[in-house]
Each structure stands twice: as structure tokens, then as C-alpha cells.
Amino acid sequence: DQQVKQNSPSLSVQEGRISILNCDYTNSMFDYFLWYKKYPAEGPTFLISISSIKDKNEDGRFTVFLNKSAKHLSLHIVPSQPGDSAVYFCAASARANKFYFGSGTKLNVKP
Amino acid sequence: DTEVTQTPKHLVMGMTNKKSLKCEQHMGHRAMYWYKQKAKKPPELMFVYSYEKLSINESVPSRFSPECPNSSLLNLHLHALQPEDSALYLCASSPSGLAEKNEQFFGPGTRLTVL
């Protein structure tokens, strides 16, 4: 059973608007979370991380929010750009640097 | 050099073949990882080397044999694979050893097809 789930396989957003990608997890021991972006024929690229001692982390156009009580995190991209079109994975870790990945959400940003 | 490289990009092999996948990083990272990713599925961890020692083996069948000759290089030796082993094999590295949490840097992967 997957411990990290991304329930939306795809998302389409207009350029300039906000993209919100969601991720749910089941293991309450997870305390460190990552978001990755993946273009076709490339490996995943690290975007942003958040530790469970925080509920928000911001890096430029990317903000990750963590709701521990709901076991939910989300990635906000504002404003969205066509170059953001990719598959986005969330990943979570409980112990050490061993991560469990979600199945990904394919984001399409339309010009 | 800020990237993880993997060779070959594509590999087609028969079930009786022996082949190897190679991964290299020159960022001084102390942990290296092998993941397997099937289509439309998340990457699944196979092995982790921390400070050149095998730290995690996720109950991977013995037909997959990892090797870490030095801190920059990670190999995955393949022997007697099955068609269901066809997948994208991703290598990753992270700056600190396994005990510390930090982001992993991924290579582009090797697309393996087993006939």
C-alpha cells in the first residue's frame, strides 16, 4: 500500500495563474518532505523541501505548505509558466534519508 | 560538476545476459541510491550506499547486484533478469550519509528492456 499518494494524475493551468499540486501521506512518522520536478527523458530535479517543524517554506515562485494534522502537503507555483510543465513528485521520509515517492502529477501550463 | 551521470541511456538484454549499469557523481556526495521506476508508478528504492557501504537493500532479488567501487561510482550488475524487470533505473546521490536528511540528486536514468 502506497504511503504517499498524489491523487490527481494531471492538472492543467493557464499561464500566470496559480498551480496547486497536492500530496497526502499515511505514515505519521514522516517528518521531512521533498518536491521534485521531472521532464521527459531526465531524472527528477529537486525543487523544495519542508521539515515537519515548519508549516510553510518558500523559494521564489514555489511554496510548500504542510498540514500535519491532515497529513497533507501542497506545492503552490505562482505565477505558473509554460516551462513549469512537467511531472511533479512529492516524497516523504521517516528515518534517515530513505524516501517514499508519490506517483506524480503531470502539470500542463497553457500559454 | 553538479550532476549525476548514468550509462548507458538505453539497454536491451536477453534473460541469459549479464550487463551492468553505471552511475557517477563528482560532487563529493556520501550516499548513493538505486531506484527502479515502472511506467506511471513512483520510483521505488532498491539499494543505498552510505560512505561506500551497503546500508539498505530493499529485499531486492539477487539477480540485481550493486557495487560501490569508490565514493564517486555506483554500479548495478544484472544477471538472469526477467521481462518484468524492464523499467527505468534511476541513480541518485545526496551530500551527507544516510543518517542525515537532505535532498537527493538524480541522474537521467537507464531505460532497461529485458526480452
Side-chain angles (χ1 to χ4, degrees):
Chain A
D1 192 26
Q2 268 192 265
Q3 299 187 54
V4 179
K5 294 181 182 178
Q6 293 176 256
N7 292 318
S8 298
S10 63
L11 175 68
S12 191
V13 170
Q14 204 66 39
E15 181 180 6
R17 305 293 289 267
I18 184 171
S19 295
I20 300 176
L21 297 111
N22 294 305
C23 180
D24 297 295
Y25 60 94
T26 57
N27 188 342
S28 57
M29 300 299 290
F30 286 150
D31 61 1
Y32 190 62
F33 304 86
L34 305 175
W35 281 96
Y36 283 89
K37 176 168 75 172
K38 186 179 185 303
Y39 293 119
E42 294 183 13
T45 303
F46 168 72
L47 268 179
I48 193 168
S49 65
I50 189 165
S51 160
S52 61
I53 60 173
K54 293 185 171 184
D55 53 20
K56 177 182 172 181
N57 190 23
E58 205 169 339
D59 184 0
R61 295 185 298 114
F62 301 92
T63 303
V64 56
F65 294 92
L66 176 62
N67 182 335
K68 291 185 285 294
S69 59
K71 296 193 185 69
H72 176 84
L73 67 156
S74 60
L75 175 69
H76 292 211
I77 307 173
V78 183
S80 302
Q81 300 172 355
D84 296 329
S85 298
V87 177
Y88 289 79
F89 291 96
C90 64
S93 168
R95 70 170 181 92
N97 220 29
K98 178 179 172 179
F99 284 90
Y100 296 86
F101 284 78
S103 50
T105 296
K106 187 174 183 179
L107 174 66
N108 179 32
V109 180
K110 296 179 286 190
Chain B
D1 191 348
T2 59
E3 62 174 2
V4 176
T5 59
Q6 288 187 245
T7 53
K9 283 189 165 37
H10 301 275
L11 178 63
V12 179
M13 59 186 290
M15 289 190 285
T16 58
N17 292 158
K18 280 187 182 182
K19 296 285 184 184
S20 296
L21 309 184
K22 181 178 168 182
C23 173
E24 215 163 348
Q25 58 86 14
H26 296 285
M27 297 178 279
H29 288 181
R30 307 310 304 194
M32 295 184 78
Y33 310 75
W34 279 116
Y35 287 86
K36 173 181 175 180
Q37 186 177 22
K38 304 277 271 184
K40 299 194 192 308
K41 297 284 189 182
E44 293 179 8
L45 184 66
M46 299 174 72
F47 302 103
V48 183
Y49 275 82
S50 181
Y51 292 92
E52 300 168 49
K53 288 188 176 6
L54 182 63
S55 300
I56 293 179
N57 176 343
E58 290 288 281
S59 303
V60 179
S62 59
R63 57 186 184 268
F64 295 91
S65 175
E67 180 197 16
C68 188
N70 59 57
S71 60
S72 301
L73 192 54
L74 185 66
N75 297 321
L76 186 63
H77 302 297
L78 315 172
H79 175 53
L81 294 195
Q82 305 295 311
E84 59 263 29
D85 296 321
S86 298
L88 180 68
Y89 289 83
L90 291 163
C91 173
S93 68
S94 59
S96 304
L98 189 62
E100 292 187 41
K101 295 185 184 181
N102 43 55
E103 63 271 21
Q104 296 172 15
F105 294 76
F106 283 83
T110 293
R111 175 72 59 188
L112 173 68
T113 303
V114 182
L115 301 175

